Amino acid sequence: MTHAPYPKAASADIAMLLEGTFPFVSGGVSSWVNQIIRAFPDYTFALIFIGSRPEDYGQPKYELPPNVVHLETHYIHTQIDIPLIRRQRGDPATFGDVEAMHEYFRAPHASPDGANAFERLSRELLPGGKLDRDTFLFSEASWDFIKTKYREHSIDPSFVDFFWTIRAMHQPIWTMAQIAESLPEVRAFHTISTGYAGFLGALLKRRRGRPLILSEHGIYTKERKIDLFQSEWITDNRNVFQKDPTEISYFRQLWMRLFESFGKLCYDAADDIIALYEANRQRQIQDGAEPARTRNIPNGINLKALSPLRQQRPAETPPILCLIGRVVPIKDIKTFIRAMRTVVNRIPQAEGWIAGPEDESPEYAEECKNLVISLGLEKNVKFLGFQKIPDLLPKIGLMVLSSISEALPLVILEGYAAGVPTISTDVGSCRQLVYGFDDADRAIGASGRIVGIADPLALANAAIELLLDPAAWQAASQAAIERVERYYTQDMMFGQYRSVYERALSLPVPSLPGAAGQCPRRG
Amino acid sequence: MAGIGFEIRKLLKKESYFGLIQAYTYAGIIGAGPWILSILGVQAIGFLSLAIVVPTFLITQFQVSVTHMIAASLILTGILQLAFTRYISDRLFEKRDDTVLPNFIGALFAVMVAAGAIGLAAAVFLFDGLGVVYRLLMLSGFIILSMIWIATIFLSGMKQYKQILWLFLVGYSISVLAAVVLRQFGLEGLLLGFVLGQFVLLTGMMVFTLRTYPSNRFIEFDFIKPGRMYLSLMGVGFLYNFGVWIDKYMFWYTAGAGQQIIGPLNASLIYDLPIFLAYLSIIPGMAVFLVRMETDFVEYYDKFYDAVREGGSLEQIEQLRDEMVHTIRQGIFEIVKIQTIAVLVTFVAAPALLRLLGASQLYQSLLYIDVVSASTQVVLLGLLNVFFYLDKRRIVLLLTGIFVLLNIGLTALSLHWGPAYYGYGFALAVLITVLTGMAFLDRKLQTLEYETFMLQRG
């Protein structure tokens, strides 16, 4: 490690809980975090980074803003040094609470005591508590609980796999409890996802009573689902008679339910639940968020910085399709490459640029490059690595997103500011960004095209249509500029977040940890 | 004795009464053979020399000298008995067969040096005033016996049970023959004969080993390195052998119960003969122990751990645990049953047997209780074996420790209370240890899955 030591402070205004994003991973969410922190120079921020393993991240990808006074890193999947194995009984009453909490996850309305059970348990997670890591790992009560759950629910016969899945799944809970304990004094917590960071937020809210703000960009559980489908380390031991082909492996289901439960706990604890766009807010409510605490704050871009780029555009629209994003499976780069084959067949001088870091999934990047070769597109498709977006925008004709999952991609808005239309798959808020959200927005017109997921031909045809018809391209470009200026500027976003932050920070500091901020919650 | 199960299973596969009888006979002879042969050999030498030139007193001196050699060498090599066996099986498991032979030679050498040093010190200081020839024979006999036990351990570890048995048979036959031939030279003649036979036995074991397990290195001392052998097993091996002999030593050296025979060597005329005879009665128990524990129990033990590892359902795992418990229970009950029969046979046959040996009928009641003790000891062996399979070395260490303390305490009490109580100290010590072991085993088996899953490093 050769980086400068991270800043440390005993207190800050806002603690940001960051799972696998800023400042070590570049991408839309990280850029958004960077934007937010820099927008509030009057507040100090403590950053809590949660990653998988130290070796999965290199140097910070962003320069830390000056108002970041504290940065600490934690890793979930590092080997924890298990202390001495200690045989112990475990406390049955505590496991009664564990049971109540699991029932609550299964059916929130049927067992309203679950939230209170979590409240009680959250105080017992530290070493010496009634539900510390040793209790989970070694106690007879824990063993009995695992056996009971296996008998009640497991549809996979292998007990040993069930056992180790349960162990692996729950371990991070105690890691989070340790983090929560050693965190600097802050006046508000802001988590940028549910998942582990969201669970940490819920723990912090319960332990310290300070407000918790949740900003969801993607849909954590959905992204996890994709990860879990691709992970090969989860086994499935059902034989041909036990298998229902429509069911995913039981152990995948377990992981999914863990993240759903983390999400539920985070929604229960959060004072503000912020979505980027309406469809996402509806999904939060469906997943158990209380509607009264939800709201939309869409992303906004720095219009002043980007609008001058329009003057740099050449008169002739260059036949260049650009995909800006990390080279990872979720971005489905391969569909873009396949689409390029069709585009080049029609427009031989067309180029496809892929601008984004390739270090997150080197094997996927390798597969993409091999695909380029096998389709004979070496002259047309270029991997540019990480690029500064303002340098790219004047040179390209279309912004392309072929992702299988997105939230509200900033690159679309940045492209709009520079007058570049977008062709995107129908994910996240992309349809809303291209065709408009309400009637007034729709009246502006289409600022690009939306195509189906994993449909290279549709993607190619939409691109060919806009590139070969200057009038259509011009109309889309105009709509893009108008839409971004009216609805998606940075100033709008900052204004809304300022009110969120001000309300959270103005709450009195509670005298007792866990005693404040408790309006009665009904599940 | 792990590994003998495979041999026995082959015989059981015949699925006939004859096959069953063969299996049990084989197991009995293998299990108790060397031990029985050494008792019989020593008794036979005395018996055959009786009423010939040799006065009875000399025969007693000879038998006591050999008994002391056997006892001391067993206690000394007990330290290596289990630890070295485990060392060998660990190396074989690692597929490092080439390290086995040089370390066996190393262990032999180490034992030779240790026994030589102890024997020499004893010969010089304890046996001061006795004849030089006698002292030299005692020294060499002690060293040779110690090395034989190590070679026996090694060959058992290599599953060469039949060879061990044949070699013992040949060795003891030569011991008996040579002693009878040399008996006109009195005590030294008898001893020389015995030592010669033992020397042949050791040489035979060495030759067989070197021919069967070639290695490019002659000698290594890897087993001595810290952490290569389990200290707990060294403790268990020592304590078990010490516990089995300590009551005899107490009788030998308690005034009134024991008397001086030759130099520093004492014997107890009242205590010794019955206990040695009693050990002849454990052959059927040993047979059942080997057949039951090494075949049935091990089968379920393997199935249980396979189910755990290979992804069996919890129901299967628990069911196999129950079947494993069932085979342990059955095995122990069968040992008890067969030894009960052995005890009853002894009760009936004791007077005739004592008459045959020309021994006093006064030995009867002591012989009865000793047969019960020896039988209980087989049950104890069975229990310890289960604990070894479950890798609960610390429990075995605790049990053998308890056994030693009980045997010392209760034997002292029986000596204090007088002849009517002789033999009950040892019997109770074994019995209480067995009951304690059963209580431990019961608890261990109840929490077996919990310990298997929860109390291990993942």
Side-chain angles (χ1 to χ4, degrees), chain A residues 32-346:
Chain A
W32 181 92
V33 172
N34 195 25
Q35 224 185 340
I36 284 279
I37 294 173
R38 289 180 187 278
F40 298 98
D42 46 332
Y43 295 143
T44 54
F45 286 85
L47 307 187
I48 317 301
F49 176 82
I50 300 167
S52 50
R53 296 172 309 176
E55 56 267 39
D56 297 341
Y57 311 93
Q59 300 292 340
K61 299 275 192 300
Y62 296 80
E63 197 178 328
L64 287 183
N67 55 334
V68 169
V69 294
H70 180 91
L71 166 60
E72 54 183 76
T73 56
H74 301 280
Y75 302 96
I76 290 171
H77 296 307
T78 43
Q79 245 349 78
I80 298 140
D81 281 336
I82 292 180
L84 278 180
I85 290 176
R86 292 194 307 129
R87 194 194 181 101
Q88 50 196 277
R89 283 238 174 279
D91 173 37
T94 302
F95 278 87
D97 270 349
V98 175
E99 168 70 22
M101 197 174 58
H102 281 87
E103 283 312 305
Y104 171 69
F105 293 145
R106 284 186 178 278
H109 302 292
S111 25
D113 187 44
N116 301 330
F118 172 67
E119 175 105 31
R120 287 191 292 272
L121 292 173
S122 69
R123 294 187 214 115
E124 302 290 351
L125 294 174
L126 291 171
K130 288 190 179 129
L131 191 64
D132 61 358
R133 195 190 298 267
D134 279 8
T135 308
F136 166 67
L137 288 176
F138 308 131
S139 75
E140 291 176 43
S142 169
W143 166 244
D144 292 336
F145 189 81
I146 292 171
K147 278 200 296 189
T148 309
K149 287 289 158 208
Y150 168 87
R151 289 201 176 96
E152 283 175 0
H153 303 297
S154 181
I155 52 169
D156 187 291
S158 169
F159 180 70
V160 73
D161 288 330
F162 175 85
F163 179 82
W164 288 110
T165 303
I166 295 291
R167 276 209 169 194
M169 271 169 50
H170 291 74
Q171 284 269 16
I173 289 173
W174 286 272
T175 311
M176 296 300 133
Q178 290 286 9
I179 299 171
E181 199 51 26
S182 60
L183 209 75
E185 279 301 314
V186 295
R187 295 193 290 151
F189 307 108
H190 187 180
T191 178
I192 315 302
S193 65
T194 57
Y196 294 110
F199 175 76
L200 175 60
L203 269 182
L204 285 163
K205 171 73 197 274
R206 300 288 179 219
R207 304 283 299 128
R208 303 198 185 187
R210 296 304 302 169
L212 172 67
I213 303 156
L214 162 66
S215 297
E216 268 200 290
H217 284 239
I219 306 172
Y220 186 92
T221 42
K222 187 175 155 193
E223 286 172 20
R224 277 290 167 172
K225 209 171 260 179
I226 294 162
D227 285 351
L228 289 167
F229 264 119
Q230 290 167 337
S231 62
E232 285 164 16
W233 48 267
I234 299 181
T235 53
D236 191 339
N237 301 297
R238 293 167 301 169
N239 64 34
V240 68
F241 299 110
Q242 295 165 311
K243 248 191 196 129
D244 171 355
T246 59
E247 271 184 348
I248 56 170
S249 144
Y250 179 66
F251 301 120
R252 284 198 172 85
Q253 288 180 44
L254 282 179
W255 280 100
M256 286 307 312
R257 300 214 11 215
L258 174 82
F259 295 123
E260 282 163 13
S261 306
F262 279 169
K264 182 82 184 90
L265 290 172
C266 187
Y267 291 141
D268 286 351
D271 301 84
D272 285 289
I273 301 167
I274 301 163
L276 287 175
Y277 52 100
E278 183 57 20
N280 228 358
R281 191 180 75 90
Q282 292 302 334
R283 201 262 323 151
Q284 289 174 334
I285 292 166
Q286 198 183 311
D287 286 354
E290 196 181 298
R293 285 183 275 133
T294 61
R295 63 192 297 181
N296 288 322
I297 303 182
N299 286 339
I301 50 141
N302 186 345
L303 201 61
K304 281 197 291 293
L306 292 166
S307 51
L309 295 174
R310 295 172 210 163
Q311 274 69 56
Q312 298 178 25
R313 294 195 62 78
E316 192 87 358
T317 301
I320 294 171
L321 293 75
C322 184
L323 188 152
I324 298 174
R326 296 162 296 137
V327 183
V328 291
I330 204 164
K331 298 283 178 192
D332 197 8
I333 310 277
K334 288 179 184 175
T335 290
F336 174 53
I337 296 170
R338 290 193 181 98
M340 279 312 298
R341 182 64 263 174
T342 311
V343 174
V344 171
N345 289 349
R346 283 291 306 276

Side-chain angles (χ1 to χ4, degrees), chain A residues 312-314 318-320 353 387 390-397:
Chain A
Q312 298 178 25
R313 294 195 62 78
I320 294 171
W353 293 0
Q387 293 285 329
D391 300 346
L392 287 175
L393 292 176
K395 299 177 194 158
I396 63 174

